[in-house]
Every structure is written in C-alpha cells, then in structure tokens.
C-alpha cells in the first residue's frame, strides 16, 4: 500500500524534478539550451577563428614559398605581418652554417686631456667576445650575440649605396656606436668624439677532400665616422 499523501503521475510524463540544468526536460543541457543570440555569437566566433587561421596560413605559405607574382606583389604587407612575432626561422631544423668568419673592428677619435686629437688603432671587438667565450662553461649572452646580431641587423638595413634605411637602420647604427664607445672608452685615454666601424670577412676554406675553390682573402666593409652623442657615453 502507498502512503495517503503520495502523488501518482500519469504514465509517460516526466517528473518536474528530473529537468536538466538548462531548464529543458528532454535531455542534458547543451547548444539546444542556449538562446538564439548565444548561438549567433558562437557561430560568428567560430567563423572568425577559421578565417583568421586561413589568412595566417596563407601569408606564411607565401612567405616561405618560392618567389612568385603574388608574393612579390604583396611582399611589403607580408613582411609587416610576419615581423617580428611570426618571423620564419628554420635554422633549428635545417642549420645553415656560415661560410665566412666576420670580425667587427672599431676605432675612435679621442680628445686628450691636453686638448689634442688622436685616432686610436683598430680594435677587434669580435676577438674580445671570442676570448670571453672560449673555454667558458656558461658564457654570457651579451658576449655571444650582442655585437654579432647588432652588426648583422645593421648590414641588413643598408640600401644600394651602403646607407642605413628607415628608423630601424638608424637605431642599429646608434646601437653600434654605443657598443663601440663602451668598449673603446676605458682604454681611449680621453673623450671619445667619433667612432668608426668596419667588418673583416674571411671566407672559410674548403675541406681538404673537396675540389671546390674558395677565395680566402679577407675583405673589409668600412663605415664612415659616426658622431658620439652625450647619451651614448652614459
């Protein structure tokens, strides 16, 4: 026998207490439990994500694909999109070893305490870094990359006449000035007014078993004298 106050539900009718969290009695909550506005937001978001991914993949494909009419026509836009966050660097997977040894040299025009001006000898800044790195278990990143990366970036900004182009080229030039002043200043014996940099590039000779000829003569790329400002010395 059932208790007197028990309620008898018709067969086939769900108990109101068994409703799903979304408020529907026909199953668990999900997309069917969302409002039309929410569904539209989800749909537009999904379309935007897919479209963005497709554009990104297309731009990266044009950047790494062999030169073609489309990539050359939009080269400026592709470069602006990829640099610097999405720049393609494949050296981790396919190293491209350097075929030449590049050393950066610097010299300075110095005003001595007696008021005379003199020019220092060329100082091999790269050799200084190599000395600090050699046989060092934990060499500093500054000695490994600061000068090398600054010089490579500066050379990459030069136009056909050998002049740095744009704001980036000017910044790299001023960066090199500050590196040179900090290296030359302590041993210059006076106030540094101008600095001059050059690179000495020596191709790596071919291995003994190779019949390939390699001209191993050293070539120099000399930059003009650059003025040292007060903020470069601090």
């Amino acid at each position: 026998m059932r208790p007197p106050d028990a309620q008898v539900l018709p067969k086939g009718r769900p108990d109101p207490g068994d409703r799903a969290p979304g408020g529907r009695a026909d199953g668990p909550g999900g997309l069917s439990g969302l409002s039309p506005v929410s569904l539209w937001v989800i749909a537009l978001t999904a379309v935007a994500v897919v479209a963005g991914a497709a554009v990104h993949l297309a731009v990266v494909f044009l950047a790494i694909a062999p030169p073609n009419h489309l990539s050359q026509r939009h080269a400026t836009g592709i470069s602006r999109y990829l640099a610097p966050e999405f720049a393609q660097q494949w050296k981790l997977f396919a190293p491209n070893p350097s075929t030449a040894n590049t050393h950066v040299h610097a010299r300075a025009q110095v005003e001595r305490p007696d008021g005379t001006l003199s020019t220092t000898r060329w100082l091999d800044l790269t050799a200084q870094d190599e000395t600090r790195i050699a046989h060092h278990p934990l060499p500093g990143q500054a000695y490994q990359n600061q000068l090398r990366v600054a010089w490579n970036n500066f050379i990459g900004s030069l136009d056909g006449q050998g002049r740095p182009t744009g704001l980036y080229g000017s910044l790299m030039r001023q960066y090199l000035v500050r590196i040179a002043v900090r290296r030359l200043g302590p041993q210059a014996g006076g106030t540094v007014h101008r600095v001059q940099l050059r690179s000495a590039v020596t191709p790596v000779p071919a291995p003994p078993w190779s019949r390939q000829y390699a001209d191993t003569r050293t070539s120099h790329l000399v930059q003009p004298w650059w003025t040292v400002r007060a903020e470069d010395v601090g």
Side-chain angles (χ1 to χ4, degrees), residues 73-90:
R73 181 179 180 182
H74 301 284
T76 302
I78 292 174
S79 299
R80 289 179 178 177
Y81 174 80
L82 292 179
E85 288 83 3
F86 304 113
Q88 301 302 300
Q89 176 59 273
W90 303 112

Side-chain angles (χ1 to χ4, degrees), residues 153-154 157-158 164-175:
N153 290 342
F154 171 74
S157 71
L158 300 180
T165 58
L167 177 61
Y168 186 74
S170 300
L171 290 175
M172 287 296 102
R173 178 181 60 188
Q174 205 62 38
Y175 187 40

Side-chain angles (χ1 to χ4, degrees), residues 18 20 31 37 76 90-91 99-100 153 157 161 178 182 200 210 226:
D18 295 335
L31 292 179
V37 175
T76 302
W90 303 112
K91 290 184 179 180
T99 58
N153 290 342
S157 71
Q161 287 72 41
R178 297 185 178 187
R182 283 161 174 75
S210 175
W226 295 333

Side-chain angles (χ1 to χ4, degrees), residues 64 194-195:
I64 64 178
R194 296 198 300 172
V195 296

Side-chain angles (χ1 to χ4, degrees), residues 43-58:
L44 292 176
T45 302
V47 170
V49 170
V50 172
V55 172
H56 175 76
L57 293 176

Side-chain angles (χ1 to χ4, degrees), residues 123-147:
L123 180 65
D124 192 338
L125 304 183
T126 303
Q128 288 183 339
D129 289 343
E130 291 178 347
T131 301
R132 293 186 178 99
I133 294 172
H135 310 297
H136 197 296
L138 296 172
Q141 284 292 325
Y143 301 137
Q144 297 182 71
N145 299 317
Q146 185 184 52
L147 177 63

Side-chain angles (χ1 to χ4, degrees), residues 88-111:
Q88 301 302 300
Q89 176 59 273
W90 303 112
K91 290 184 179 180
L92 176 63
F93 306 100
N96 185 18
S98 177
T99 58
N101 293 318
T102 301
H103 280 231
V104 180
H105 303 161
R107 64 178 179 174
Q109 286 186 349
V110 183
E111 181 181 357

